[in-house]
Amino acid sequence: MTDQAHKLIIIGSGPAGLTAAIYAARAGLSPLVIAGYEPGGQLTLTTEVEDFPGFPDGIQGPELMERMRRQAERFDTVFMNDAVRTVDFKNRPFTVWAGEQALKTRSVIVATGASARWLGLPSEKRLIGHGVSSCAVCDGYFFRNKEVVVVGGGDTAFREALYLAKLASRVTIIHRRESFRAQQILQERARKDPKISWCVPMWVVEILGENIVAGVRLKNMKTGEIKNVDCQGVFVAIGHKPNTEPFQGQLELDDGGYIVSRDGVGTSVAGVFVAGDVEDQKYRQAVTAAGAGCAAAMEAEEYLESL
């Protein structure tokens, strides 16, 4: 990299960042994409994607992200496989520190997405990679014909459960409430699957097993009753946290750490734009993230033209 300021740096390489890159590159902005610790974002941890337009038979998440990246590269987007440590958005041109480099840029699109939340149990931390996972598509193969539990009640939890039901002998969904937040179609599919059952309103208070998962200890959220459920795998699907650590003190964040945007694209700093799950707490879909990436790139182009 040279000391000359880039026109645009895109931080993140999920659907939002890669769509922004495609549009920005086609507009002649020569964007630099800093891919982050999880290149491709959450979709690389996703099984079959059925709701992204243009794929009537569905597509695997990693394949979709690889296609997006190749499309961005076709228009001469430059990729840097590193993660952003910190930024300076108070002085212009902006500075972005990634790896050992300090990169200057006239505009930025933040598309760093969100990361999986964990239960926070010492037993969970000890057994990650030994039966505890946050990604069914990554680790489901290791649980063929075994009993597993999925913790959570949203879309992610139900998608994980439906995927695991193709491999495991039994899947138990554990949720602290008696009703679920997942889309109705996902709930209906789960109810029709004879391998899937649920424990509600229950919560995991401990994961059993010394060196490998042997079960979970559950607490009834109404009665306080404790019971153990045997299983060999625990898949945690309880939501996500925004990846905004490098932007604290630089951009306005809400109480949950998400970037604040009045219009879904702009931030508290002119010339810095946002796209995807790092801002969107409502929809959290690949297609809405892609749409936001498109909008952010068009806004960045307009901003640069105004300078």
Side-chain angles (χ1 to χ4, degrees), residues 259-271:
I259 293 175
V260 173
S261 175
R262 272 72 185 179
D263 59 1
V265 178
T267 71
S268 56
V269 176

PDB file of all heavy atoms in Angstrom, residues 259-271:
ATOM      1  N   ILE A 259     -23.984   0.584  15.336  1.00  0.00           N
ATOM      2  CA  ILE A 259     -23.759   1.909  14.778  1.00  0.00           C
ATOM      3  C   ILE A 259     -25.102   2.601  14.555  1.00  0.00           C
ATOM      4  O   ILE A 259     -26.037   2.011  14.006  1.00  0.00           O
ATOM      5  CB  ILE A 259     -22.971   1.822  13.461  1.00  0.00           C
ATOM      6  CG1 ILE A 259     -21.546   1.324  13.748  1.00  0.00           C
ATOM      7  CG2 ILE A 259     -22.926   3.174  12.746  1.00  0.00           C
ATOM      8  CD1 ILE A 259     -20.706   1.091  12.512  1.00  0.00           C
ATOM      9  N   VAL A 260     -25.189   3.833  14.992  1.00  0.00           N
ATOM     10  CA  VAL A 260     -26.418   4.612  14.850  1.00  0.00           C
ATOM     11  C   VAL A 260     -26.449   5.254  13.468  1.00  0.00           C
ATOM     12  O   VAL A 260     -25.483   5.882  13.041  1.00  0.00           O
ATOM     13  CB  VAL A 260     -26.510   5.690  15.941  1.00  0.00           C
ATOM     14  CG1 VAL A 260     -27.705   6.608  15.701  1.00  0.00           C
ATOM     15  CG2 VAL A 260     -26.615   5.038  17.322  1.00  0.00           C
ATOM     16  N   SER A 261     -27.564   5.072  12.765  1.00  0.00           N
ATOM     17  CA  SER A 261     -27.756   5.685  11.449  1.00  0.00           C
ATOM     18  C   SER A 261     -29.169   6.221  11.352  1.00  0.00           C
ATOM     19  O   SER A 261     -30.128   5.518  11.665  1.00  0.00           O
ATOM     20  CB  SER A 261     -27.505   4.667  10.334  1.00  0.00           C
ATOM     21  OG  SER A 261     -27.795   5.235   9.075  1.00  0.00           O
ATOM     22  N   ARG A 262     -29.296   7.480  10.929  1.00  0.00           N
ATOM     23  CA  ARG A 262     -30.634   8.071  10.793  1.00  0.00           C
ATOM     24  C   ARG A 262     -31.342   7.594   9.538  1.00  0.00           C
ATOM     25  O   ARG A 262     -32.559   7.501   9.511  1.00  0.00           O
ATOM     26  CB  ARG A 262     -30.531   9.601  10.763  1.00  0.00           C
ATOM     27  CG  ARG A 262     -30.556  10.255  12.142  1.00  0.00           C
ATOM     28  CD  ARG A 262     -29.267  10.020  12.916  1.00  0.00           C
ATOM     29  NE  ARG A 262     -29.329  10.547  14.279  1.00  0.00           N
ATOM     30  CZ  ARG A 262     -28.339  10.435  15.145  1.00  0.00           C
ATOM     31  NH1 ARG A 262     -27.224   9.830  14.813  1.00  0.00           N
ATOM     32  NH2 ARG A 262     -28.479  10.929  16.371  1.00  0.00           N
ATOM     33  N   ASP A 263     -30.571   7.252   8.515  1.00  0.00           N
ATOM     34  CA  ASP A 263     -31.177   6.866   7.243  1.00  0.00           C
ATOM     35  C   ASP A 263     -30.802   5.457   6.810  1.00  0.00           C
ATOM     36  O   ASP A 263     -31.094   5.047   5.687  1.00  0.00           O
ATOM     37  CB  ASP A 263     -30.783   7.863   6.150  1.00  0.00           C
ATOM     38  CG  ASP A 263     -29.267   7.943   5.952  1.00  0.00           C
ATOM     39  OD1 ASP A 263     -28.531   7.200   6.649  1.00  0.00           O
ATOM     40  OD2 ASP A 263     -28.825   8.730   5.100  1.00  0.00           O
ATOM     41  N   GLY A 264     -30.129   4.707   7.688  1.00  0.00           N
ATOM     42  CA  GLY A 264     -29.732   3.350   7.354  1.00  0.00           C
ATOM     43  C   GLY A 264     -28.417   3.246   6.621  1.00  0.00           C
ATOM     44  O   GLY A 264     -27.932   2.141   6.379  1.00  0.00           O
ATOM     45  N   VAL A 265     -27.809   4.387   6.263  1.00  0.00           N
ATOM     46  CA  VAL A 265     -26.556   4.372   5.499  1.00  0.00           C
ATOM     47  C   VAL A 265     -25.523   5.330   6.098  1.00  0.00           C
ATOM     48  O   VAL A 265     -24.361   4.982   6.257  1.00  0.00           O
ATOM     49  CB  VAL A 265     -26.806   4.742   4.017  1.00  0.00           C
ATOM     50  CG1 VAL A 265     -25.493   4.763   3.245  1.00  0.00           C
ATOM     51  CG2 VAL A 265     -27.774   3.753   3.378  1.00  0.00           C
ATOM     52  N   GLY A 266     -25.960   6.548   6.423  1.00  0.00           N
ATOM     53  CA  GLY A 266     -25.045   7.530   6.981  1.00  0.00           C
ATOM     54  C   GLY A 266     -24.743   7.269   8.444  1.00  0.00           C
ATOM     55  O   GLY A 266     -25.496   6.586   9.142  1.00  0.00           O
ATOM     56  N   THR A 267     -23.617   7.790   8.910  1.00  0.00           N
ATOM     57  CA  THR A 267     -23.242   7.685  10.324  1.00  0.00           C
ATOM     58  C   THR A 267     -23.096   9.083  10.900  1.00  0.00           C
ATOM     59  O   THR A 267     -23.411  10.081  10.246  1.00  0.00           O
ATOM     60  CB  THR A 267     -21.914   6.924  10.486  1.00  0.00           C
ATOM     61  OG1 THR A 267     -20.840   7.751   9.997  1.00  0.00           O
ATOM     62  CG2 THR A 267     -21.927   5.602   9.722  1.00  0.00           C
ATOM     63  N   SER A 268     -22.574   9.160  12.108  1.00  0.00           N
ATOM     64  CA  SER A 268     -22.379  10.451  12.768  1.00  0.00           C
ATOM     65  C   SER A 268     -21.205  11.220  12.194  1.00  0.00           C
ATOM     66  O   SER A 268     -20.990  12.384  12.549  1.00  0.00           O
ATOM     67  CB  SER A 268     -22.160  10.238  14.272  1.00  0.00           C
ATOM     68  OG  SER A 268     -21.064   9.362  14.504  1.00  0.00           O
ATOM     69  N   VAL A 269     -20.435  10.612  11.292  1.00  0.00           N
ATOM     70  CA  VAL A 269     -19.293  11.272  10.667  1.00  0.00           C
ATOM     71  C   VAL A 269     -19.522  11.326   9.158  1.00  0.00           C
ATOM     72  O   VAL A 269     -19.715  10.294   8.515  1.00  0.00           O
ATOM     73  CB  VAL A 269     -17.976  10.516  10.964  1.00  0.00           C
ATOM     74  CG1 VAL A 269     -16.811  11.153  10.217  1.00  0.00           C
ATOM     75  CG2 VAL A 269     -17.704  10.504  12.469  1.00  0.00           C
ATOM     76  N   ALA A 270     -19.502  12.537   8.596  1.00  0.00           N
ATOM     77  CA  ALA A 270     -19.658  12.681   7.149  1.00  0.00           C
ATOM     78  C   ALA A 270     -18.526  11.961   6.430  1.00  0.00           C
ATOM     79  O   ALA A 270     -17.354  12.109   6.788  1.00  0.00           O
ATOM     80  CB  ALA A 270     -19.660  14.162   6.768  1.00  0.00           C
ATOM     81  N   GLY A 271     -18.882  11.175   5.425  1.00  0.00           N
ATOM     82  CA  GLY A 271     -17.877  10.428   4.680  1.00  0.00           C
ATOM     83  C   GLY A 271     -17.672   9.011   5.163  1.00  0.00           C
ATOM     84  O   GLY A 271     -16.993   8.225   4.510  1.00  0.00           O
TER      85      GLY A 271
END
